[in-house]
């Protein structure tokens, strides 16, 4: 059992999602642009907590 987990652990955790991730990783049209501006998060007034403004300047 331990040997199976060592060899296939990631596949067991990800399940079918592993194939989707591999397809995305090998897709040349789906590239992360590190120079793109950072997206602002959408603030939902229905879900507030004490940390909502923690990183606001």
């Amino acid at each position: 059992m331990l040997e199976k987990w060592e060899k296939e652990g990631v596949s067991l955790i990800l399940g079918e999602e592993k194939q989707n991730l591999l397809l995305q990783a090998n897709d040349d049209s789906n590239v992360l642009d590190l120079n793109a501006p950072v997206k602002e998060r959408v603030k939902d007034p229905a879900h507030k907590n004490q940390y909502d403004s923690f990183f606001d300047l």
Side-chain angles (χ1 to χ4, degrees), residues 1 4-6 8-16 18:
M1 182 70 173
K4 179 180 180 179
W5 179 255
E6 288 175 345
E8 302 175 21
V10 173
S11 295
L12 293 172
I13 292 171
L14 293 176
E16 295 177 12
K18 181 179 178 182

Side-chain angles (χ1 to χ4, degrees), residues 34-52:
L34 297 176
N35 294 321
V38 177
K39 295 180 181 178
E40 293 291 325
R41 74 178 184 108
V42 177
K43 294 185 180 182
D44 185 5
H47 298 93
K48 290 190 148 226
N49 64 40
Q50 69 268 27
Y51 302 111
D52 281 344

